[in-house]
């Protein structure tokens, strides 16, 4: 088992010997990460944090890393049409096989002073704004995948919002992998800096267009300054042979607000690592998640919230619906430091199993060093409410439709927390279609 994991690391590292960074941003940090990879071990089930997420599926595939863009490989418009979100007006950056494609992207007029670009397109003068954040928030010394990403990321979003700037339209990141000839892997890295009183919404969307296996490693670092408001949505609805390990790291200053919503509707092996550090007083961190799994999808959500100063609020609410032979993992940790008096921290994980073969491993955790706090956490796992089913059937709703409607209502509670109406409607339609419901049923 361990040898197989070491083989994965060796195979991936051997491919990167000719890697050339797209620019000089973070060059020293990249070199440090490359050195770390000589000593770090790729995770195995013997690592507590990876106990329920074996990487066997990755070891069986000969992934080929794309280190240079292929100008002639562009998806057809017909392939992109199903991925469009009706009614969503957004700045759209499209990445194909790990590289930004301006031909498919559309960035509208921006407020003066805003830097919105792709890593591979950033000019030297633009890179300076990101140097203090690149590779500083997501710790590569504690995570093999984060170190590998820092060393070898090919592209991604760079966004710098000056103080007081508000971007009304969401920024949509659409990542595509073509995989027409062989299994492929890419590394993406996003850096978002929101200065005082700025606001934005980031939407990440992933899709594989080919028949071969894919792997995406992605790290997003958010530096959220005082009184800034940032919404971050991650939409994962890929194919069963598509795998992803992602890390989202947010650092919050006083009076800031950061909200992450992660929805996993399909894929192969999906690992989401979400870490919030509430460094300032009176800041708020929200973490919402829905994993609605079928087939043999494995979705692992690992989260941490670190309350470091007084009067901070965190609200974490994850729901899971698991069918067939799917597997879910939820591990949520809340830390309340001694200085973080008056902290209010809420964490809840609720799961419904629709099949006897589906499994969930859930572990909510609290570590509190302060004495004047209000904290709660819990987890539930079960089946659909029999009383509610009986009530609906007694009023003429057949059993299959009643189950579908109750499941939709369970999942929709998370969807409704999204701040973009067009995306709420898009996801509600996807969930309804999965359950065999039509508009008249809702």
């Amino acid at each position: 088992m361990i040898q197989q994991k070491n083989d994965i690391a060796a195979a991936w590292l051997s491919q990167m010997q000719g890697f050339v960074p797209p620019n000089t941003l973070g060059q020293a940090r990249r070199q440090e990460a490359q050195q770390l990879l000589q000593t770090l071990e790729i995770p195995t089930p013997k690592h507590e944090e990876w106990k329920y997420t074996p990487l066997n599926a990755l070891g069986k595939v000969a992934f080929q890393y794309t280190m240079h863009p292929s100008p002639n490989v562009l998806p057809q418009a017909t392939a992109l049409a199903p991925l469009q979100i009706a009614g969503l007006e957004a700045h759209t950056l499209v990445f194909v096989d790990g590289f930004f494609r301006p031909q498919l992207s559309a960035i509208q007029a921006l407020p003066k002073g805003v830097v919105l670009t792709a890593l591979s397109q950033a000019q030297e003068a633009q890179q300076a704004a990101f140097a203090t954040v690149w590779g500083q928030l997501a710790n590569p010394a504690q995570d093999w995948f984060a170190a590998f990403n820092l060393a070898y990321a090919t592209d991604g979003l760079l966004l710098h919002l000056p103080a007081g700037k508000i971007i009304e339209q969401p920024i949509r990141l659409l990542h595509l992998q073509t995989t027409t000839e062989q299994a492929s892997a890419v590394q993406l890295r996003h850096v978002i800096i929101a200065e005082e009183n700025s606001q934005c919404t980031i939407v990440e969307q992933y899709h594989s267009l080919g028949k071969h296996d894919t792997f995406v490693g992605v790290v997003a670092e958010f530096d959220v300054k005082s009184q800034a408001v940032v919404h971050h949505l991650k939409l994962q609805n890929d194919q069963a042979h598509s795998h992803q390990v992602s890390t989202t790291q947010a650092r919050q200053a006083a009076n800031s607000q950061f909200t992450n919503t992660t929805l996993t509707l399909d894929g192969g092996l999906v690992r989401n690592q979400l870490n919030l550090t509430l460094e300032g007083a009176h800041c708020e961190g929200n973490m919402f998640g829905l994993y609605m799994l079928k087939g043999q999808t494995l979705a692992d959500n690992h989260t941490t919230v670190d309350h470091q100063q007084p009067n901070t609020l965190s609200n974490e609410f994850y729901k899971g619906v698991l069918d067939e032979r799917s597997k879910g993992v939820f591990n949520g940790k809340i830390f309340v430091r001694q200085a973080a008096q008056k902290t209010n921290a809420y964490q809840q994980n609720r799961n419904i199993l629709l099949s006897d073969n589906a499994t969930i491993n859930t572990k909510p955790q609290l570590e509190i060093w302060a004495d004047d706090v209000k904290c709660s956490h819990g987890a539930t796992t079960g089946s659909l409410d029999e009383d509610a089913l009986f009530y609906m059937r007694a009023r003429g709703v057949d059993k299959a439709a009643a189950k579908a409607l109750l499941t939709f209502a369970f999942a929709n509670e998370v969807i409704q927390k999204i701040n973009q109406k067009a995306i709420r409607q898009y996801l509600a339609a996807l969930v309804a279609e999965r359950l065999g419901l039509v508009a008249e049923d809702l």
Side-chain angles (χ1 to χ4, degrees):
M1 182 75 71
I2 294 177
Q3 182 57 47
Q4 186 180 54
K5 305 302 183 301
N6 291 335
D7 290 345
I8 297 173
W12 290 9
L13 288 170
S14 67
Q15 292 189 46
M16 311 311 292
Q17 293 180 4
F19 175 77
V20 178
N23 52 44
T24 59
L25 176 60
Q27 203 166 51
R29 292 292 286 163
R30 284 187 183 271
Q31 292 172 355
E32 291 173 12
Q34 291 169 11
Q35 293 299 316
L36 276 172
L37 288 168
Q38 304 305 314
T39 59
L40 290 174
E41 291 185 356
I42 197 167
T44 76
K46 290 188 176 182
H47 294 76
E48 181 64 27
E49 299 298 306
W50 289 79
K51 183 177 181 180
Y52 301 108
T53 308
L55 301 176
N56 298 353
L58 303 184
K60 296 176 181 178
V61 182
F63 291 105
Q64 295 296 311
Y65 267 91
T66 306
M67 290 190 287
H68 306 285
S70 301
N72 298 326
V73 179
L74 286 176
Q76 298 296 317
T78 52
L80 298 178
L83 303 177
Q84 301 306 315
I85 300 176
L88 180 68
E89 296 183 3
H91 306 278
T92 301
L93 285 77
V94 179
F95 299 86
V96 179
D97 295 332
F99 289 92
F100 175 66
R101 295 306 176 93
Q103 311 95 310
L104 303 174
S105 304
I107 300 175
Q108 314 301 326
L110 294 166
K112 185 177 180 180
V114 171
V115 176
L116 171 58
T117 186
L119 172 63
S120 60
Q121 306 291 306
Q123 304 300 312
E124 188 171 351
Q126 295 174 318
Q127 297 175 37
F130 302 93
T132 58
V133 176
W134 173 274
Q136 303 292 328
L137 304 188
N139 189 351
Q142 299 177 357
D143 184 346
W144 189 93
F145 285 98
F148 189 81
N149 180 277
L150 177 56
Y152 301 116
T154 57
D155 219 332
L157 168 70
L158 297 181
L159 172 64
H160 180 232
L161 293 175
K165 299 298 182 180
I166 298 175
I167 297 185
E168 299 287 352
Q169 294 181 335
I171 299 165
R172 178 177 175 238
L173 311 178
L174 177 58
H175 169 67
L176 306 169
Q177 279 178 270
T178 53
T179 65
T180 54
E181 299 179 357
Q182 60 188 7
S184 71
V186 300
Q187 294 290 325
L188 295 168
R189 195 173 192 93
H190 310 308
V191 178
I192 295 91
I193 302 174
E195 302 286 359
E196 291 80 359
N197 292 294
S198 62
Q199 295 182 27
C200 69
T201 295
I202 310 294
V203 182
E204 293 183 61
Q205 192 176 3
Y206 298 85
H207 198 72
S208 301
L209 300 175
K211 61 182 180 180
H212 297 284
D213 284 66
T214 64
F215 177 83
V216 178
V218 57
V219 172
E221 295 178 300
F222 289 84
D223 193 12
V224 187
K225 303 292 189 181
S226 176
Q227 301 187 66
V229 178
V230 175
H231 290 265
H232 177 220
L233 282 72
K234 185 182 287 287
L235 312 181
Q236 298 167 323
N237 185 31
D238 214 333
Q239 300 190 50
H241 55 259
S242 301
H243 315 288
Q244 183 176 144
V245 175
S246 73
T247 297
T248 300
Q249 188 84 35
R251 177 174 64 189
Q252 294 185 240
N255 299 291
S256 65
Q257 182 187 102
F258 177 81
T259 301
N260 171 278
T261 306
T262 300
L263 294 106
T264 308
L265 302 182
D266 211 346
L269 184 154
V270 181
R271 165 89 173 198
N272 296 313
Q273 302 176 151
L274 173 59
N275 308 306
L276 307 189
T277 304
L278 279 59
E279 291 188 355
H282 297 282
C283 59
E284 176 182 337
N286 299 302
M287 312 165 83
F288 304 125
L290 171 65
Y291 42 100
M292 192 169 179
L293 314 178
K294 59 184 176 61
Q296 298 189 58
T297 297
L298 191 164
D300 180 347
N301 290 286
H302 265 65
T303 68
T304 63
V305 185
D306 191 350
H307 293 261
Q308 297 185 356
Q309 297 298 325
N311 297 289
T312 53
L313 168 66
S314 67
N315 182 27
E316 181 170 13
F317 188 47
Y318 271 67
K319 282 190 165 188
V321 179
L322 297 97
D323 202 357
E324 299 174 345
R325 303 185 68 86
S326 61
K327 296 180 180 180
V329 181
F330 173 83
N331 189 316
K333 294 181 180 179
I334 297 175
F335 298 96
V336 182
R337 307 296 175 179
Q338 188 172 3
Q341 304 294 337
K342 305 293 185 182
T343 284
N344 189 342
Y346 171 83
Q347 182 190 82
Q348 185 66 235
N349 175 227
R350 298 177 185 172
N351 300 283
I352 290 178
L353 302 181
L354 300 180
S355 164
D356 292 338
N357 295 317
T359 60
I360 178 70
N361 292 283
T362 180
K363 187 180 179 181
Q365 296 174 268
L366 275 173
E367 293 189 27
I368 303 173
W369 289 276
D371 52 20
D372 186 8
V373 301
K374 184 178 180 181
C375 299
S376 65
H377 74 308
T380 60
T381 300
S383 54
L384 291 170
D385 189 319
E386 291 296 334
D387 290 339
L389 281 173
F390 177 81
Y391 178 88
M392 296 180 71
R393 296 197 67 192
R395 281 150 181 78
V397 181
D398 67 71
K399 186 175 182 180
K403 285 186 173 181
L405 286 168
L406 287 176
T407 304
F408 178 84
F410 180 83
N412 196 45
E413 189 176 2
V414 174
I415 294 173
Q416 291 305 309
K417 294 183 179 297
I418 295 172
N419 70 327
Q420 297 291 323
K421 180 180 178 180
I423 298 177
R424 290 198 303 270
Q425 294 175 336
Y426 169 78
L427 290 169
L430 283 180
V431 171
E433 182 181 9
R434 167 82 67 85
L435 297 170
L437 296 171
V438 294
E440 290 74 15
D441 296 325
L442 304 177

